mmCIF file of all heavy atoms in Angstrom:
data_model
loop_
_atom_site.group_PDB
_atom_site.id
_atom_site.type_symbol
_atom_site.label_atom_id
_atom_site.label_comp_id
_atom_site.label_asym_id
_atom_site.label_seq_id
_atom_site.Cartn_x
_atom_site.Cartn_y
_atom_site.Cartn_z
ATOM 1 N N LYS A 107 210.326 98.789 98.207
ATOM 2 C CA LYS A 107 208.914 98.956 98.509
ATOM 3 C C LYS A 107 208.176 97.629 98.435
ATOM 4 O O LYS A 107 208.646 96.672 97.823
ATOM 5 C CB LYS A 107 208.276 99.954 97.543
ATOM 6 C CG LYS A 107 208.796 101.375 97.671
ATOM 7 C CD LYS A 107 208.019 102.321 96.777
ATOM 8 C CE LYS A 107 208.486 103.749 96.946
ATOM 9 N NZ LYS A 107 207.715 104.681 96.083
ATOM 10 N N GLU A 108 207.021 97.590 99.066
ATOM 11 C CA GLU A 108 206.157 96.425 98.992
ATOM 12 C C GLU A 108 205.550 96.318 97.600
ATOM 13 O O GLU A 108 205.366 97.321 96.908
ATOM 14 C CB GLU A 108 205.039 96.524 100.027
ATOM 15 C CG GLU A 108 205.503 96.476 101.473
ATOM 16 C CD GLU A 108 205.900 95.083 101.883
ATOM 17 O OE1 GLU A 108 205.148 94.139 101.606
ATOM 18 O OE2 GLU A 108 206.977 94.938 102.489
ATOM 19 N N ARG A 109 205.226 95.101 97.227
ATOM 20 C CA ARG A 109 204.518 94.916 95.973
ATOM 21 C C ARG A 109 203.125 95.517 96.100
ATOM 22 O O ARG A 109 202.447 95.327 97.112
ATOM 23 C CB ARG A 109 204.438 93.432 95.626
ATOM 24 C CG ARG A 109 203.849 93.165 94.256
ATOM 25 C CD ARG A 109 204.408 91.901 93.633
ATOM 26 N NE ARG A 109 204.169 90.725 94.437
ATOM 27 C CZ ARG A 109 204.669 89.535 94.164
ATOM 28 N NH1 ARG A 109 205.453 89.362 93.106
ATOM 29 N NH2 ARG A 109 204.404 88.503 94.957
ATOM 30 N N GLU A 110 202.695 96.251 95.082
ATOM 31 C CA GLU A 110 201.421 96.936 95.144
ATOM 32 C C GLU A 110 200.542 96.601 93.957
ATOM 33 O O GLU A 110 201.013 96.296 92.863
ATOM 34 C CB GLU A 110 201.623 98.452 95.229
ATOM 35 C CG GLU A 110 202.244 99.063 93.994
ATOM 36 C CD GLU A 110 202.343 100.573 94.070
ATOM 37 O OE1 GLU A 110 201.794 101.177 95.013
ATOM 38 O OE2 GLU A 110 202.977 101.165 93.175
ATOM 39 N N PHE A 111 199.260 96.695 94.195
ATOM 40 C CA PHE A 111 198.264 96.431 93.173
ATOM 41 C C PHE A 111 198.271 97.526 92.122
ATOM 42 O O PHE A 111 198.415 98.708 92.443
ATOM 43 C CB PHE A 111 196.882 96.346 93.829
ATOM 44 C CG PHE A 111 195.747 96.297 92.858
ATOM 45 C CD1 PHE A 111 195.458 95.135 92.162
ATOM 46 C CD2 PHE A 111 194.956 97.411 92.638
ATOM 47 C CE1 PHE A 111 194.401 95.079 91.272
ATOM 48 C CE2 PHE A 111 193.903 97.373 91.762
ATOM 49 C CZ PHE A 111 193.626 96.204 91.075
ATOM 50 N N VAL A 112 198.077 97.129 90.865
ATOM 51 C CA VAL A 112 197.997 98.078 89.770
ATOM 52 C C VAL A 112 196.620 98.044 89.110
ATOM 53 O O VAL A 112 195.951 99.072 88.990
ATOM 54 C CB VAL A 112 199.083 97.813 88.710
ATOM 55 C CG1 VAL A 112 198.916 98.755 87.522
ATOM 56 C CG2 VAL A 112 200.463 97.959 89.324
ATOM 57 N N ALA A 113 196.194 96.863 88.669
ATOM 58 C CA ALA A 113 194.931 96.745 87.946
ATOM 59 C C ALA A 113 194.454 95.309 87.953
ATOM 60 O O ALA A 113 195.243 94.383 88.103
ATOM 61 C CB ALA A 113 195.083 97.240 86.499
ATOM 62 N N ALA A 114 193.146 95.116 87.775
ATOM 63 C CA ALA A 114 192.568 93.776 87.695
ATOM 64 C C ALA A 114 191.413 93.774 86.706
ATOM 65 O O ALA A 114 190.763 94.802 86.478
ATOM 66 C CB ALA A 114 192.087 93.302 89.065
ATOM 67 N N ILE A 115 191.133 92.596 86.166
ATOM 68 C CA ILE A 115 190.066 92.422 85.195
ATOM 69 C C ILE A 115 189.423 91.058 85.410
ATOM 70 O O ILE A 115 190.118 90.082 85.694
ATOM 71 C CB ILE A 115 190.616 92.577 83.756
ATOM 72 C CG1 ILE A 115 189.492 92.558 82.723
ATOM 73 C CG2 ILE A 115 191.655 91.508 83.457
ATOM 74 C CD1 ILE A 115 189.967 92.980 81.326
ATOM 75 N N ASN A 116 188.105 90.987 85.290
ATOM 76 C CA ASN A 116 187.429 89.710 85.453
ATOM 77 C C ASN A 116 187.428 88.934 84.142
ATOM 78 O O ASN A 116 188.042 89.344 83.150
ATOM 79 C CB ASN A 116 186.018 89.905 86.012
ATOM 80 C CG ASN A 116 185.034 90.437 84.977
ATOM 81 O OD1 ASN A 116 185.424 91.109 84.020
ATOM 82 N ND2 ASN A 116 183.758 90.134 85.168
ATOM 83 N N TRP A 117 186.719 87.815 84.127
ATOM 84 C CA TRP A 117 186.847 86.879 83.009
ATOM 85 C C TRP A 117 186.447 87.455 81.665
ATOM 86 O O TRP A 117 187.042 87.096 80.637
ATOM 87 C CB TRP A 117 186.039 85.615 83.301
ATOM 88 C CG TRP A 117 184.553 85.796 83.180
ATOM 89 C CD1 TRP A 117 183.700 86.286 84.131
ATOM 90 C CD2 TRP A 117 183.745 85.488 82.043
ATOM 91 N NE1 TRP A 117 182.410 86.297 83.655
ATOM 92 C CE2 TRP A 117 182.408 85.807 82.375
ATOM 93 C CE3 TRP A 117 184.013 84.965 80.778
ATOM 94 C CZ2 TRP A 117 181.351 85.628 81.479
ATOM 95 C CZ3 TRP A 117 182.964 84.785 79.886
ATOM 96 C CH2 TRP A 117 181.654 85.116 80.247
ATOM 97 N N ASN A 118 185.445 88.337 81.644
ATOM 98 C CA ASN A 118 184.972 88.860 80.363
ATOM 99 C C ASN A 118 185.231 90.353 80.182
ATOM 100 O O ASN A 118 184.763 90.950 79.215
ATOM 101 C CB ASN A 118 183.488 88.570 80.177
ATOM 102 C CG ASN A 118 182.603 89.296 81.168
ATOM 103 O OD1 ASN A 118 183.089 89.961 82.083
ATOM 104 N ND2 ASN A 118 181.296 89.166 80.995
ATOM 105 N N GLY A 119 185.970 90.948 81.102
ATOM 106 C CA GLY A 119 186.299 92.354 80.992
ATOM 107 C C GLY A 119 185.209 93.302 81.443
ATOM 108 O O GLY A 119 185.355 94.517 81.264
ATOM 109 N N SER A 120 184.131 92.794 82.021
ATOM 110 C CA SER A 120 183.042 93.652 82.464
ATOM 111 C C SER A 120 183.340 94.347 83.793
ATOM 112 O O SER A 120 182.655 95.301 84.153
ATOM 113 C CB SER A 120 181.748 92.853 82.583
ATOM 114 O OG SER A 120 181.843 91.842 83.570
ATOM 115 N N ARG A 121 184.322 93.855 84.513
ATOM 116 C CA ARG A 121 184.721 94.455 85.773
ATOM 117 C C ARG A 121 186.205 94.806 85.718
ATOM 118 O O ARG A 121 187.034 93.962 85.396
ATOM 119 C CB ARG A 121 184.443 93.519 86.946
ATOM 120 C CG ARG A 121 182.964 93.246 87.170
ATOM 121 C CD ARG A 121 182.760 92.285 88.324
ATOM 122 N NE ARG A 121 181.342 92.052 88.589
ATOM 123 C CZ ARG A 121 180.879 91.240 89.522
ATOM 124 N NH1 ARG A 121 181.730 90.566 90.294
ATOM 125 N NH2 ARG A 121 179.580 91.087 89.684
ATOM 126 N N LEU A 122 186.492 96.040 86.043
ATOM 127 C CA LEU A 122 187.857 96.549 86.032
ATOM 128 C C LEU A 122 188.127 97.274 87.326
ATOM 129 O O LEU A 122 187.241 97.906 87.887
ATOM 130 C CB LEU A 122 188.073 97.504 84.862
ATOM 131 C CG LEU A 122 187.706 97.015 83.467
ATOM 132 C CD1 LEU A 122 187.806 98.176 82.480
ATOM 133 C CD2 LEU A 122 188.617 95.880 83.042
ATOM 134 N N ARG A 123 189.355 97.204 87.779
ATOM 135 C CA ARG A 123 189.741 97.954 88.956
ATOM 136 C C ARG A 123 191.169 98.444 88.798
ATOM 137 O O ARG A 123 192.028 97.722 88.310
ATOM 138 C CB ARG A 123 189.604 97.116 90.232
ATOM 139 C CG ARG A 123 189.883 97.908 91.507
ATOM 140 C CD ARG A 123 189.401 97.182 92.725
ATOM 141 N NE ARG A 123 187.950 97.035 92.702
ATOM 142 C CZ ARG A 123 187.252 96.402 93.635
ATOM 143 N NH1 ARG A 123 187.877 95.838 94.663
ATOM 144 N NH2 ARG A 123 185.942 96.325 93.534
ATOM 145 N N TYR A 124 191.406 99.684 89.220
ATOM 146 C CA TYR A 124 192.709 100.298 89.098
ATOM 147 C C TYR A 124 193.133 100.929 90.412
ATOM 148 O O TYR A 124 192.305 101.447 91.165
ATOM 149 C CB TYR A 124 192.710 101.390 88.031
ATOM 150 C CG TYR A 124 192.413 100.909 86.642
ATOM 151 C CD1 TYR A 124 191.128 100.959 86.124
ATOM 152 C CD2 TYR A 124 193.432 100.399 85.840
ATOM 153 C CE1 TYR A 124 190.856 100.512 84.843
ATOM 154 C CE2 TYR A 124 193.167 99.952 84.561
ATOM 155 C CZ TYR A 124 191.878 100.011 84.069
ATOM 156 O OH TYR A 124 191.620 99.568 82.793
ATOM 157 N N ALA A 125 194.426 100.904 90.659
ATOM 158 C CA ALA A 125 194.963 101.694 91.746
ATOM 159 C C ALA A 125 194.789 103.172 91.426
ATOM 160 O O ALA A 125 194.855 103.587 90.264
ATOM 161 C CB ALA A 125 196.441 101.374 91.957
ATOM 162 N N ASP A 126 194.564 103.977 92.454
ATOM 163 C CA ASP A 126 194.381 105.409 92.238
ATOM 164 C C ASP A 126 195.578 106.037 91.522
ATOM 165 O O ASP A 126 195.419 106.980 90.743
ATOM 166 C CB ASP A 126 194.150 106.120 93.567
ATOM 167 C CG ASP A 126 192.801 105.810 94.171
ATOM 168 O OD1 ASP A 126 191.900 105.353 93.441
ATOM 169 O OD2 ASP A 126 192.633 106.030 95.389
ATOM 170 N N SER A 127 196.752 105.519 91.777
ATOM 171 C CA SER A 127 197.960 106.093 91.217
ATOM 172 C C SER A 127 198.072 105.928 89.704
ATOM 173 O O SER A 127 198.837 106.654 89.058
ATOM 174 C CB SER A 127 199.191 105.485 91.890
ATOM 175 O OG SER A 127 199.226 104.084 91.706
ATOM 176 N N VAL A 128 197.325 104.989 89.132
ATOM 177 C CA VAL A 128 197.417 104.741 87.695
ATOM 178 C C VAL A 128 196.110 105.006 86.965
ATOM 179 O O VAL A 128 196.095 104.971 85.721
ATOM 180 C CB VAL A 128 197.884 103.303 87.399
ATOM 181 C CG1 VAL A 128 199.181 103.001 88.139
ATOM 182 C CG2 VAL A 128 196.808 102.285 87.760
ATOM 183 N N LYS A 129 195.045 105.266 87.678
ATOM 184 C CA LYS A 129 193.747 105.479 87.050
ATOM 185 C C LYS A 129 193.809 106.649 86.074
ATOM 186 O O LYS A 129 194.322 107.720 86.399
ATOM 187 C CB LYS A 129 192.682 105.725 88.118
ATOM 188 C CG LYS A 129 191.258 105.697 87.605
ATOM 189 C CD LYS A 129 190.261 105.778 88.753
ATOM 190 C CE LYS A 129 190.351 104.553 89.652
ATOM 191 N NZ LYS A 129 189.336 104.585 90.736
ATOM 192 N N GLY A 130 193.284 106.433 84.882
ATOM 193 C CA GLY A 130 193.318 107.445 83.850
ATOM 194 C C GLY A 130 194.537 107.379 82.962
ATOM 195 O O GLY A 130 194.555 108.011 81.896
ATOM 196 N N ARG A 131 195.551 106.632 83.380
ATOM 197 C CA ARG A 131 196.767 106.491 82.585
ATOM 198 C C ARG A 131 196.973 105.071 82.081
ATOM 199 O O ARG A 131 197.499 104.868 80.986
ATOM 200 C CB ARG A 131 197.988 106.908 83.402
ATOM 201 C CG ARG A 131 197.961 108.355 83.859
ATOM 202 C CD ARG A 131 199.281 108.758 84.506
ATOM 203 N NE ARG A 131 199.560 107.969 85.709
ATOM 204 C CZ ARG A 131 200.631 107.192 85.867
ATOM 205 N NH1 ARG A 131 201.539 107.089 84.907
ATOM 206 N NH2 ARG A 131 200.806 106.523 86.999
ATOM 207 N N PHE A 132 196.596 104.088 82.885
ATOM 208 C CA PHE A 132 196.789 102.684 82.536
ATOM 209 C C PHE A 132 195.451 102.050 82.179
ATOM 210 O O PHE A 132 194.409 102.411 82.736
ATOM 211 C CB PHE A 132 197.378 101.899 83.708
ATOM 212 C CG PHE A 132 198.803 102.226 84.052
ATOM 213 C CD1 PHE A 132 199.464 103.315 83.505
ATOM 214 C CD2 PHE A 132 199.498 101.420 84.940
ATOM 215 C CE1 PHE A 132 200.774 103.617 83.836
ATOM 216 C CE2 PHE A 132 200.806 101.697 85.278
ATOM 217 C CZ PHE A 132 201.441 102.799 84.728
ATOM 218 N N THR A 133 195.490 101.079 81.287
ATOM 219 C CA THR A 133 194.302 100.332 80.907
ATOM 220 C C THR A 133 194.623 98.845 80.874
ATOM 221 O O THR A 133 195.549 98.426 80.180
ATOM 222 C CB THR A 133 193.783 100.760 79.529
ATOM 223 O OG1 THR A 133 193.512 102.167 79.525
ATOM 224 C CG2 THR A 133 192.502 100.002 79.188
ATOM 225 N N ILE A 134 193.851 98.069 81.623
ATOM 226 C CA ILE A 134 193.995 96.622 81.582
ATOM 227 C C ILE A 134 192.958 96.056 80.616
ATOM 228 O O ILE A 134 191.825 96.539 80.548
ATOM 229 C CB ILE A 134 193.850 95.997 82.986
ATOM 230 C CG1 ILE A 134 194.196 94.503 82.948
ATOM 231 C CG2 ILE A 134 192.464 96.226 83.566
ATOM 232 C CD1 ILE A 134 194.292 93.861 84.330
ATOM 233 N N SER A 135 193.355 95.052 79.866
ATOM 234 C CA SER A 135 192.443 94.401 78.938
ATOM 235 C C SER A 135 192.848 92.947 78.778
ATOM 236 O O SER A 135 193.925 92.538 79.215
ATOM 237 C CB SER A 135 192.440 95.120 77.578
ATOM 238 O OG SER A 135 193.724 95.071 76.975
ATOM 239 N N ARG A 136 191.962 92.172 78.166
ATOM 240 C CA ARG A 136 192.308 90.783 77.906
ATOM 241 C C ARG A 136 191.698 90.334 76.594
ATOM 242 O O ARG A 136 190.660 90.833 76.162
ATOM 243 C CB ARG A 136 191.874 89.876 79.057
ATOM 244 C CG ARG A 136 190.372 89.653 79.185
ATOM 245 C CD ARG A 136 190.007 89.025 80.529
ATOM 246 N NE ARG A 136 190.631 87.722 80.724
ATOM 247 C CZ ARG A 136 190.669 87.068 81.886
ATOM 248 N NH1 ARG A 136 190.122 87.616 82.969
ATOM 249 N NH2 ARG A 136 191.256 85.888 81.971
ATOM 250 N N ASP A 137 192.372 89.396 75.980
ATOM 251 C CA ASP A 137 191.872 88.740 74.787
ATOM 252 C C ASP A 137 191.559 87.312 75.185
ATOM 253 O O ASP A 137 192.463 86.489 75.346
ATOM 254 C CB ASP A 137 192.909 88.797 73.663
ATOM 255 C CG ASP A 137 192.379 88.287 72.337
ATOM 256 O OD1 ASP A 137 191.582 87.329 72.333
ATOM 257 O OD2 ASP A 137 192.765 88.843 71.295
ATOM 258 N N TYR A 138 190.294 87.033 75.373
ATOM 259 C CA TYR A 138 189.853 85.739 75.874
ATOM 260 C C TYR A 138 190.310 84.595 74.972
ATOM 261 O O TYR A 138 190.794 83.569 75.437
ATOM 262 C CB TYR A 138 188.329 85.749 76.000
ATOM 263 C CG TYR A 138 187.721 84.558 76.694
ATOM 264 C CD1 TYR A 138 187.549 84.560 78.074
ATOM 265 C CD2 TYR A 138 187.298 83.454 75.968
ATOM 266 C CE1 TYR A 138 186.971 83.479 78.711
ATOM 267 C CE2 TYR A 138 186.723 82.366 76.603
ATOM 268 C CZ TYR A 138 186.564 82.384 77.977
ATOM 269 O OH TYR A 138 185.997 81.308 78.608
ATOM 270 N N ALA A 139 190.158 84.796 73.667
ATOM 271 C CA ALA A 139 190.481 83.740 72.712
ATOM 272 C C ALA A 139 191.969 83.430 72.662
ATOM 273 O O ALA A 139 192.368 82.295 72.406
ATOM 274 C CB ALA A 139 189.973 84.112 71.325
ATOM 275 N N LYS A 140 192.792 84.435 72.903
ATOM 276 C CA LYS A 140 194.239 84.271 72.811
ATOM 277 C C LYS A 140 194.910 83.995 74.152
ATOM 278 O O LYS A 140 196.128 83.829 74.202
ATOM 279 C CB LYS A 140 194.869 85.511 72.181
ATOM 280 C CG LYS A 140 194.477 85.745 70.737
ATOM 281 C CD LYS A 140 195.175 86.973 70.183
ATOM 282 C CE LYS A 140 194.819 87.192 68.724
ATOM 283 N NZ LYS A 140 195.493 88.401 68.180
ATOM 284 N N ASN A 141 194.139 83.951 75.219
ATOM 285 C CA ASN A 141 194.695 83.765 76.559
ATOM 286 C C ASN A 141 195.758 84.814 76.876
ATOM 287 O O ASN A 141 196.828 84.503 77.407
ATOM 288 C CB ASN A 141 195.273 82.357 76.722
ATOM 289 C CG ASN A 141 194.221 81.278 76.802
ATOM 290 O OD1 ASN A 141 193.029 81.553 76.926
ATOM 291 N ND2 ASN A 141 194.656 80.032 76.739
ATOM 292 N N MET A 142 195.452 86.059 76.549
ATOM 293 C CA MET A 142 196.379 87.157 76.756
ATOM 294 C C MET A 142 195.755 88.232 77.632
ATOM 295 O O MET A 142 194.554 88.517 77.528
ATOM 296 C CB MET A 142 196.799 87.775 75.433
ATOM 297 C CG MET A 142 197.561 86.846 74.511
ATOM 298 S SD MET A 142 199.232 86.482 75.123
ATOM 299 C CE MET A 142 200.009 88.092 74.918
ATOM 300 N N VAL A 143 196.568 88.829 78.472
ATOM 301 C CA VAL A 143 196.192 89.976 79.276
ATOM 302 C C VAL A 143 197.196 91.084 79.005
ATOM 303 O O VAL A 143 198.394 90.813 78.882
ATOM 304 C CB VAL A 143 196.156 89.635 80.772
ATOM 305 C CG1 VAL A 143 195.702 90.836 81.592
ATOM 306 C CG2 VAL A 143 195.229 88.458 81.023
ATOM 307 N N TYR A 144 196.711 92.317 78.947
ATOM 308 C CA TYR A 144 197.564 93.439 78.595
ATOM 309 C C TYR A 144 197.448 94.552 79.627
ATOM 310 O O TYR A 144 196.437 94.704 80.299
ATOM 311 C CB TYR A 144 197.186 94.005 77.223
ATOM 312 C CG TYR A 144 197.161 92.979 76.123
ATOM 313 C CD1 TYR A 144 195.964 92.396 75.726
ATOM 314 C CD2 TYR A 144 198.333 92.584 75.489
ATOM 315 C CE1 TYR A 144 195.937 91.447 74.719
ATOM 316 C CE2 TYR A 144 198.313 91.637 74.485
ATOM 317 C CZ TYR A 144 197.115 91.072 74.100
ATOM 318 O OH TYR A 144 197.093 90.130 73.105
#
């Protein structure tokens, strides 16, 4: 299959976007201080 989008987050976490297939099940987050995305 083609690579597909799952989730995205902006610099401060105020904007989130999810693919319909994962919405409600997956959560994207980031720790700004630690340079980590989850």
